[in-house]
Amino acid sequence: MNLAHDVARWALSHPERPALFEGARPTATYAQWAARAAALAQHLLGAGLYPGDRVVLFMRNHPRYLEILFGVWWMGGVVVPVNAKLHPKELQWIAHNAGARWAFVSRDALPEGAPALAGLERVVDVDSPEMASLLAAEPQASLPVAARAPDDTAWLFYTSGTTGRPKGVMITHRNLRTMALGYFVDVDTVGASDAIVYAAPMSHGAGLYALPHVLAGARHVVPPSGGFDAAELFELGRQVGPLSLFAAPTIVKRLVDHAEAQGLGPADAARSFKTIVYGGAPMYAADIQRALKVMGPRFVQIYGQGESPMVGTALSRADLADQGHPQYLARLASVGRPQSSVRIRVADEAGQDVPTGEVGEVLIAGDSVMAAYWQAPEATAAALREGWLWTGDMGCLDASGYLTLKDRSKDLIISGGSNIYPREVEEVLLLHPDVAEVAVVGAPDPEWGESVVAFVVARGALALEATALDAHVVAHLARFKRPKRYVQVEGLPKNNYGKVLKTALRERLQANASGTDLGQSPP
Ligand code: AMP
C-alpha cells in the first residue's frame, strides 16, 4: 500500500485530466504530476535516500506542494510537514527530532542562510531551477511506485501543541487511506469535475484532504495568495467552479463576514463554494447559524486530531439542515456522530464508559489512529491504551450517539468544587449581540480555587459593560458558572491554525497585562 499509487492510476487511465492549478492556471495534468513525482523519487534514491527516510516540507501553500509530497511517497519516504509560519528554531527542533535528511523550503518561509536546517544533507528552494531539475524526468523508463506496508509511516506530523514541545505523530499509509475513503461516506461525495482549494496550511488537515480528491481524480487549486483571502476565494470559485475546502472556524467567520459586507447571499456562495468542511477548534452554535443563513447549506463539521487525522466525528450537511429536529440546537453545538471507520466512547479515568449524557474523556479506536509518537514510548503508552486513543478532549454522548465536546481536560475550570466547562459559558456570551469573540479561562482564586474570567472582543468599536454581560449570562446559565471578571481585548491570541491559546490568556492574567478590565460582576 502506497498512497502514491492513487496519482499513478489516474496518470494511466486519464493522463490528460487537469490536476493541479495555481489559481485558475493549470500547472499539471495527472500524467505530468505522476511524471514529476516519479522523477523526484528517482533523484532522491539516486542521492542515497532510502524508503523510510524523513524529508521535511517547510513550505507555504505552493503549486509544487503536492508534486513533492507524492514524490517523497513514490520513493517510500516519510514526509515531515512543517507549518511555514513556525519560527526557524521550532523548525530546527522538529527537523532534528525527526532525523530528517532533506528539506524542501519556500524562501519566503525560510530566507537563504537561515541556520535552522544547517545539519541536513540538502535544502532545496522550491522556486529554484534546482527544484525544476529534480522534477524533470530522466530519459529512462519511469520509476515504479515503491512498495510500502500499510503500517509504514507516511506522514510524521508534529502536533501543534498549545503547550510544551510538539511530538511527532506517526501517521501510516493505512491511516491516511482510511481517512480518504471515509471522506466519501461521512463528509462529502466528490467527482472528477470537483475542485478543492487549499486556503489553510497544507501541512495540516487541509493538505490531507488532497487524498480523497486524488482518489476521485478531482482538481487541486492553490490560491495565488498561498493562503486565506475571502475575496480571492469567492472570485476563484466563480472562475474554476464551486470549490471545496477545509477551514478552521475563524476562517469560516471571515468568509461569512466578507459575504455579509459585500451583500452576497446563498446563491452567490453556491457559485463559489461546493462544500466547506470546518473543524479543528470549537464552532459556536450562533456562528454556524449565521454561516448557514448567509452562505446556505454547504457546511459539514468534522472533529479529529493529529493522532487520528480528520477522523473522529462528523456533523453532516443533512444534520445542519434539519432545522425542525427537536434536538437541532443541541446538534449544532455538537461535533456530530462517529465517522464510519472509528468507534468512539466516553470514559472515566479508569477507562470505564460513563453513562449517556455524562462528561468524560473522548476515546477513539479505528484504522485512522496513529501508530505511535515518534521515539516517545512513554507518551505513546499514555495516549494509546488497549487499542484506544485517549484524546485529552472532554465530551459527552447523547442518546442518539452525537458527541458534544466540552473542553480539553486542562481547560476545565474547577471553582468551589464544581466543574465549569468554558465552552458552555462561551456559547452563551456569543449570543449577546455586542460580543464578536470570547474565550473563558480559569484564574487562581484564594477562596474558590479557580474563578471564571471571560476575555471578550466587542463587535465594532464598542465598549462593553460587565453588568450587561453578567445580566445576559445569568439569564441563561447557573449562577455559579458566571464569569467573575470580564476583560475586553482587541483580539484573542491564536496559534497558526486559528486555535485560541488559552495558556497565553492564563499567563496574561498572571502578568496582569490584559486589555481593558471591565471589572467584577456584581455579587
Ligand atoms: P490538532 O491535533 O492540532 O488537529 O488539534 C486537535 C484538537 O482540536 C482536538 O483534540 C480538539 O481539542 C480540537 N478540535 C478538533 N476538531 C474540533 C471541533 N470540530 N470542535 C471543537 N474542537 C475541535
Side-chain angles (χ1 to χ4, degrees):
M1 180 189 280
N2 184 331
L3 297 158
H5 281 299
D6 300 336
V7 168
R9 255 199 323 273
W10 283 114
L12 274 183
S13 65
H14 295 72
E16 296 310 320
R17 180 177 287 178
L20 305 178
F21 289 74
E22 180 174 25
R25 183 179 69 86
T27 59
T29 60
Y30 271 93
Q32 287 167 325
W33 183 358
R36 290 174 197 166
L40 178 59
Q42 183 111 50
H43 283 112
L44 291 170
L45 290 173
L49 267 74
Y50 288 97
D53 279 345
R54 274 82 57 210
V55 175
V56 165
L57 267 61
F58 187 62
M59 299 166 61
R60 66 174 171 83
N61 289 1
H62 191 286
R64 283 182 169 153
Y65 206 108
L66 292 175
E67 293 174 348
I68 299 170
L69 173 67
F70 278 80
V72 175
W73 282 341
W74 199 289
M75 62 74 72
V78 176
V79 169
V80 184
V82 184
N83 186 321
K85 288 190 189 140
L86 288 198
H87 191 277
K89 285 211 169 113
E90 294 171 291
L91 167 67
Q92 184 173 32
W93 189 88
I94 289 172
H96 179 76
N97 184 265
R101 295 186 62 184
W102 277 43
F104 292 90
V105 303
S106 32
R107 280 291 166 221
D108 42 4
L110 187 73
E112 185 103 48
L117 295 171
L120 271 68
E121 288 165 36
R122 199 150 152 191
V123 179
V124 180
D125 172 356
V126 296
D127 290 305
S128 64
E130 180 190 10
M131 183 75 242
S133 70
L134 287 171
L135 293 170
E138 300 285 321
Q140 67 264 34
S142 149
L143 182 81
V145 172
R148 290 272 81 190
D151 292 329
D152 285 338
T153 305
W155 178 261
L156 185 57
F157 169 79
Y158 280 76
T159 50
S160 59
T162 43
T163 49
R165 284 280 193 207
K167 294 187 283 288
V169 181
M170 297 166 71
I171 295 297
T172 65
H173 287 266
R174 186 207 305 273
N175 293 154
L176 293 180
R177 169 48 51 89
T178 301
M179 180 277 296
L181 290 174
Y183 187 93
F184 304 112
V185 184
D186 300 302
V187 181
D188 201 14
T189 53
V190 187
S193 60
D194 286 330
I196 175 167
V197 66
Y198 300 102
M202 293 175 82
S203 53
H204 204 256
L208 290 180
Y209 270 173
L211 298 172
H213 291 82
V214 170
L215 281 177
R219 292 170 297 154
H220 304 258
V221 181
V222 175
S225 69
F228 172 75
D229 177 327
E232 179 185 42
L233 289 181
F234 268 93
E235 176 55 28
L236 203 49
R238 280 191 287 268
Q239 287 175 25
V240 303
L243 302 164
S244 295
L245 69 151
F246 175 77
T250 39
I251 290 194
V252 172
K253 220 170 169 169
R254 282 158 61 190
L255 268 182
V256 174
D257 287 344
H258 174 83
E260 260 188 355
Q262 299 296 312
L264 303 173
D268 306 294
R271 264 192 292 284
S272 296
F273 300 104
K274 177 183 178 233
T275 302
I276 300 171
V277 185
Y278 64 92
M283 169 68 97
Y284 300 99
D287 287 334
I288 187 62
Q289 277 181 300
R290 186 166 78 102
L292 289 163
K293 191 161 138 247
V294 174
M295 296 188 63
R298 58 201 70 270
F299 295 92
V300 180
Q301 180 180 201
I302 62 104
Y303 152 67
Q305 62 173 202
E307 290 81 348
S308 176
M310 310 307 263
V311 186
T313 59
L315 185 66
S316 69
R317 200 188 292 258
D319 278 332
L320 286 164
D322 192 5
Q323 293 187 21
H325 195 283
Q327 298 297 319
Y328 182 61
L329 285 180
R331 286 193 177 171
L332 281 189
S334 81
V335 290
R337 305 184 306 141
Q339 291 188 31
S340 45
S341 62
V342 290
R343 284 184 300 142
I344 287 194
R345 59 194 189 90
V346 170
D348 63 18
E349 281 169 14
Q352 298 299 314
D353 285 356
V354 300
T356 301
E358 282 188 23
V359 176
E361 185 162 344
V362 178
L363 313 189
I364 304 180
D367 274 353
S368 59
V369 172
M370 68 167 178
Y373 289 116
W374 174 254
Q375 295 179 344
E378 281 172 20
T380 303
L384 295 179
R385 288 182 247 159
E386 292 163 9
W388 291 90
L389 168 68
W390 289 63
T391 62
D393 290 314
M394 306 301 286
C396 59
L397 284 165
D398 72 9
S400 323
Y402 285 71
L403 178 70
T404 299
L405 290 186
K406 296 300 177 180
D407 284 281
R408 305 282 304 164
S409 43
K410 65 180 177 352
D411 291 331
L412 179 72
I413 301 171
I414 305 180
S415 185
S418 301
N419 287 359
I420 299 170
Y421 294 100
R423 167 100 190 239
E424 202 182 356
V425 186
E426 289 159 1
E427 291 273 7
V428 164
L429 277 166
L430 278 169
L431 295 174
H432 191 285
D434 297 338
V435 173
E437 281 191 279
V438 59
V440 166
V441 298
D445 183 297
E447 192 180 349
W448 299 101
E450 279 185 296
S451 65
V452 180
V453 178
F455 285 84
V456 280
V457 180
R459 212 172 268 294
L462 283 176
L464 296 168
E465 280 189 23
T467 43
L469 296 176
D470 185 61
H472 170 80
V473 170
V474 293
H476 289 85
L477 277 183
R479 291 183 75 82
F480 76 90
K481 297 180 182 172
R482 59 207 264 261
K484 294 272 183 305
R485 209 176 132 197
Y486 289 92
V487 182
Q488 182 167 351
V489 285
E490 284 189 2
L492 297 171
K494 291 179 184 154
N495 73 6
N496 291 319
Y497 301 108
K499 283 186 216 295
V500 175
L501 294 168
K502 292 205 166 173
T503 313
L505 290 175
R506 285 187 283 258
E507 282 166 5
R508 269 206 218 179
L509 280 177
Q510 284 182 349
N512 227 1
S514 41
T516 312
D517 200 325
L518 302 179
Q520 308 285 116
S521 297

